[in-house]
């Protein structure tokens, strides 16, 4: 749904360069600071996206302006983020999945993000405000290197 992306400088670039491969809800869920968005754009370029330097700057500015970490949370410690992620896991995931199934996955951060995308497509309710903490918790607690 393109209407999930607010209008603004850079939205044309994001619509033209990102929505061909990604649904808008995937972008909206990310909640990254500008350096994180730049890393995502760099990764997409490695995977074949074609962006001029000006388009990349415009897209990163737009994404950081509209889809940054939640301002109301302020600077949150890593421990607080992991605690929030654990609470989200207990509330949103353990009703359908046992801990052992989750522990067997051994996914990195990207893999957990994809897994959460799949769960949302299958009907799970994971609000965008809870997603970053959940992804951090899953990749830390049940990551590939554990």
């Amino acid at each position: 749904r393109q209407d999930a992306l607010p209008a603004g400088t850079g939205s044309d670039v994001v619509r033209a360069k990102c929505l061909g491969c990604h649904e808008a809800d995937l972008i909206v869920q990310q909640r990254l600071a500008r350096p994180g968005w730049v890393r995502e754009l760099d990764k997409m370029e490695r995977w074949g996206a074609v962006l001029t330097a000006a388009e990349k700057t415009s897209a990163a500015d737009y994404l950081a302006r509209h889809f940054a970490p939640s301002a109301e949370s302020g600077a949150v410690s890593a421990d607080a983020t992991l605690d929030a992620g654990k609470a989200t896991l207990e509330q949103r995931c353990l009703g359908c999945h046992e801990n052992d199934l989750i522990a067997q996955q051994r996914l990195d951060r990207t893999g957990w993000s994809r897994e959460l995308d799949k769960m949302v497509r299958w009907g799970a309710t994971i609000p965008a405000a809870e997603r970053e903490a959940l992804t951090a918790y899953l990749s830390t607690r049940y990551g590939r290197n554990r």
Side-chain angles (χ1 to χ4, degrees):
R1 294 183 9 175
Q2 287 194 16
D3 60 337
L5 297 176
T9 303
S11 67
D12 57 332
V13 174
V14 171
R15 290 172 198 277
K17 300 293 183 165
C18 303
L19 295 183
C21 297
H22 303 287
E23 297 289 327
D25 63 338
L26 180 64
I27 295 167
V28 170
Q29 294 176 43
Q30 294 289 325
R31 299 296 173 187
L32 302 171
R34 192 176 191 290
W37 283 115
V38 170
R39 281 191 302 275
E40 284 298 305
L41 293 169
D42 288 343
K43 178 175 69 177
M44 293 303 110
E45 285 180 314
R46 288 191 304 274
W47 291 353
V50 179
L51 292 154
T52 66
E55 288 172 331
K56 186 173 174 180
T57 297
S58 180
D61 290 345
Y62 170 81
L63 293 165
R65 184 171 47 255
H66 293 284
F67 308 111
S70 184
E72 62 269 9
S73 66
V76 178
S77 73
D79 288 341
T81 298
L82 294 179
D83 289 346
K86 181 180 180 187
T88 299
L89 172 81
E90 290 169 352
Q91 179 183 10
R92 308 248 180 227
C93 306
L94 295 181
C96 295
H97 304 288
E98 296 291 328
N99 250 339
D100 62 340
L101 177 64
I102 296 166
Q104 292 171 11
Q105 299 299 310
R106 300 290 183 215
L107 302 172
D108 62 13
R109 187 175 194 84
T110 302
W112 279 115
S113 183
R114 287 187 187 128
E115 194 67 17
L116 294 177
D117 290 341
K118 180 175 72 176
M119 293 298 105
V120 168
R121 285 193 306 273
W122 289 356
T125 303
I126 305 171
E130 297 175 15
R131 186 179 167 103
E132 176 60 27
L134 178 57
T135 304
Y137 178 75
L138 289 168
S139 62
T140 300
R141 176 71 174 89
Y142 303 108
R144 184 170 283 161
N145 298 324
R146 300 302 272 159

